[in-house]
Amino acid sequence: MNEGYDGRIADCWSIGVILYVLLAGFLPFDEGTMHALFQKIKDADYAYPDFFTKPVTELVDTILVADPKARATLNDVQKNAWFCAADAGPPPAVEPAPDAASPLKEKQSTRVSCFASSRDPPALFEALKTALDAAGAQLVDGGGSKGDDDDPPEDHGDALVVEASLKSPKGLISLLGKVRRDGDKTALEILRGKGDILAYNAFQTALLAHLGDAVDAP
C-alpha cells in the first residue's frame, strides 16, 4: 500500500501465514495472479479447515490482519492462551466424511488443475512425459511412477505418477502429474509444487500446448 515498512509488524503477519500452513498443510492465500492474491490478502479472505480449533482460529484471526495498526504484535502472540499452553495434548483424531471435498478444491486453489482425455492411461502418461520434456522440464528419477528400492514412492493407488521440475528466471518450480482411469475417460491431475506461481502458470500453459489434443479442451 506504499505506507512504509516495519519489519517486526510484517514478520508477525508472515508468522501467521507460516502457522496456518503448519496446521493446515496449504496456504491461506493462493491465487493465479498477483492482483487477485493481493486483493484476498487485503480483504483477509481465507477459510479454515474443520479441524482447526477455536483458540487457533482466534489467534490467526488477530495476525492475518491487513492493517498493521490493528494487527497483533509479537508480544500479543506471546501472551495468547493457545501459544502459552504448556501441553495441549495430541490433537483429536478427525475422521473425514465419506465424500468430503478436499480443502484445496473447496477454495478453488490454483494448486491442482484437472483435465480429461479420451486416451487410455498409459498413452496419456507417455504423452505427458513427452510434453514435459518438450517444455524444458527435468523428470525426477527418470519420470517413472515406481521410484527406487531405497526411496519407496507414496501410495497413489492405480495412478501413474511423474514428478518434474523446471529452472525458471524466478527460481525452481515443480509439479506432480497423476494419470488415472476415471469412468470412461482418463483423468490428468497436475499438482503445483514449490516455486513462483506466475512462472508456474506460464510453464503449465506451455505444457498444455505441447500436450495438444492429448487432453480435452477445458
Side-chain angles (χ1 to χ4, degrees):
M1 298 297 292
N2 295 321
E3 295 180 359
Y5 173 78
D6 185 318
R8 287 174 179 262
I9 298 176
D11 284 351
C12 192
W13 188 89
S14 298
I15 286 170
V17 173
I18 293 169
L19 174 60
Y20 185 104
V21 173
L22 288 172
L23 295 173
F26 55 90
L27 291 164
F29 310 102
D30 190 10
E31 293 303 315
T33 67
M34 295 303 291
H35 175 76
L37 177 64
F38 289 154
Q39 191 61 50
K40 284 212 166 187
I41 289 173
K42 286 166 59 180
D43 295 341
D45 183 4
Y46 59 93
Y48 293 113
D50 292 339
F51 55 82
F52 267 47
T53 63
K54 185 176 179 180
V56 172
T57 61
E58 289 176 346
L59 172 59
V60 175
D61 279 343
T62 65
I63 301 175
L64 296 185
V65 177
D67 181 0
K69 297 178 182 177
R71 185 181 310 148
T73 65
L74 294 175
N75 286 334
D76 294 331
V77 172
Q78 290 176 330
K79 295 175 183 177
N80 177 269
W82 182 84
F83 180 88
C84 295
D87 184 8
V94 178
E95 294 294 335
D99 297 316
S102 163
L104 291 175
K105 293 181 180 178
E106 286 177 4
K107 292 179 65 62
Q108 297 182 324
S109 171
T110 57
R111 199 165 286 277
V112 182
S113 300
C114 302
F115 306 92
S117 173
S118 56
R119 300 191 182 186
D120 60 35
L124 180 60
F125 186 64
E126 290 304 316
L128 174 61
K129 291 197 294 182
T130 299
L132 285 166
D133 183 66
Q138 186 78 26
L139 303 186
V140 177
D141 294 330
S145 59
K146 297 299 182 183
D148 56 42
D149 294 336
D150 295 328
D151 186 18
E154 295 181 33
D155 183 8
H156 295 286
D158 296 328
L160 298 169
V161 180
V162 61
E163 185 177 354
S165 62
L166 175 74
K167 291 182 180 179
S168 77
K170 295 187 177 181
L172 191 70
I173 56 179
S174 65
L175 64 80
L176 187 75
K178 299 173 66 174
V179 176
R180 58 181 174 78
R181 174 63 67 183
D182 185 11
D184 60 350
K185 288 279 190 178
T186 297
L188 167 61
E189 292 182 349
I190 301 178
L191 292 79
R192 178 168 68 86
K194 62 186 176 183
D196 180 82
I197 187 170
L198 299 182
Y200 173 83
N201 287 344
F203 169 63
Q204 179 171 283
T205 298
L207 175 62
L208 293 176
H210 287 295
L211 276 170
D213 60 4
V215 295
D216 298 342

